[in-house]
Amino acid sequence: MEHGWTVDVADNGRDGLFLASGESYDIIVLDRMLPQMEGLKVLAALRASENQTPVIILSALDGVDERIKGLKQGGDDYLCKPFSFGELLVRAEILTRRGHAKEAETTLVISDLEMDLLSRRVVKNRIEVDLQPREFQLLRFLLEHKDQVISRTMLFESVWDYHFDPGSNIIDVHVAKLRKKLDSAGGTSLIQTVRGAGYVLREPA
């Protein structure tokens, strides 16, 4: 017990991944230079398993590119060594509060469209819409960023979790299928194409 925190410690990446996968934590403090399994590989494995526990990365690698790499891999914060223990505590408290706020939001709504994250139900114009897992993830991302223009690259990297292939039309195909399913329920057409930029989920003007 330290400053009100109950802490589990793993001295290598494999044990850390095992702990993080088997228990529920408010926050994970992850060192990059771990034996047996490097920190960013641990983080990638957690995010691939849809573990969204907030993660603070600790590292002596303080270059801008390294920080960007850690955050793009799924880290929520990046603290360079040497650091103040007090600063680590404050950052942990901030991320924990944010995490609890996100947990409370289990329903995403715009116009006549509603997504229940717990039951994984989507209702449009009071009609339930049956979506495939990838379509659900795609719609969830658009809902979480409603009224924002989302590029194809962002969708590829956030929903498919790998880098954009400029020669692929997979994004357009999936968006078209999703739009067709939603529009078939009637009501407002919400997914709009922004030529040369991507897509936006918003109510028509």
Side-chain angles (χ1 to χ4, degrees):
M1 186 80 71
E2 182 72 38
H3 293 271
W5 296 85
T6 300
V7 181
D8 290 335
V9 179
D11 60 7
N12 65 79
R14 290 189 185 280
D15 288 350
L17 178 59
F18 178 79
L19 278 175
S21 300
E23 300 288 341
S24 178
Y25 292 100
D26 290 323
I27 196 161
I28 295 169
V29 179
L30 181 63
D31 199 303
R32 278 195 63 173
M33 306 304 289
L34 290 171
Q36 296 189 32
M37 189 174 187
E38 197 264 346
L40 291 191
K41 290 184 179 179
V42 174
L43 180 56
L46 287 174
R47 296 308 189 227
S49 65
E50 298 191 354
N51 185 319
Q52 297 302 317
T53 304
V55 172
I56 298 178
I57 300 170
L58 303 181
S59 180
L61 302 173
D62 60 355
V64 174
D65 290 344
E66 293 296 337
R67 297 200 300 273
I68 291 173
K69 183 178 179 182
L71 295 172
K72 289 188 71 173
Q73 193 73 47
D76 297 276
D77 202 349
Y78 195 106
L79 191 55
C80 299
K81 300 178 182 179
F83 58 86
S84 158
F85 184 66
E87 181 181 4
L88 174 60
L89 283 176
V90 170
R91 291 183 183 225
E93 289 167 1
I94 291 171
L95 283 178
T96 301
R97 286 200 300 269
R98 288 178 184 169
H100 289 161
K102 287 180 180 179
E103 287 171 11
E105 186 179 33
T106 60
T107 303
L108 303 175
V109 179
I110 182 173
S111 186
D112 57 359
L113 173 65
E114 181 175 313
M115 171 181 281
D116 189 317
L117 299 178
L118 297 181
S119 65
R120 298 185 71 82
R121 291 178 71 245
V122 173
V123 175
K124 175 78 164 61
N125 195 33
R126 299 184 180 180
I127 297 172
E128 186 166 352
V129 181
D130 183 29
L131 298 181
Q132 296 298 314
R134 186 73 71 183
E135 294 168 341
F136 185 91
Q137 293 174 24
L138 176 58
L139 179 58
R140 177 176 179 173
F141 189 83
L142 290 171
L143 276 164
E144 288 174 339
H145 299 83
K146 61 186 178 183
D147 297 319
Q148 300 176 34
V149 177
I150 305 299
S151 69
R152 291 170 176 81
T153 303
M154 288 174 64
L155 289 173
F156 219 91
E157 293 182 349
S158 300
V159 179
W160 276 260
D161 199 28
Y162 47 89
H163 292 296
F164 179 62
D165 176 3
S168 172
N169 69 340
I170 189 171
I171 300 293
D172 303 300
V173 170
H174 276 79
V175 170
K177 287 182 178 178
L178 175 60
R179 180 190 278 138
K180 183 177 180 181
K181 285 187 176 183
L182 294 178
D183 288 352
S184 68
T188 310
S189 184
L190 298 169
I191 301 178
Q192 301 172 31
T193 302
V194 181
R195 183 171 295 182
Y199 299 96
V200 60
L201 185 76
R202 65 185 173 204
E203 297 185 56

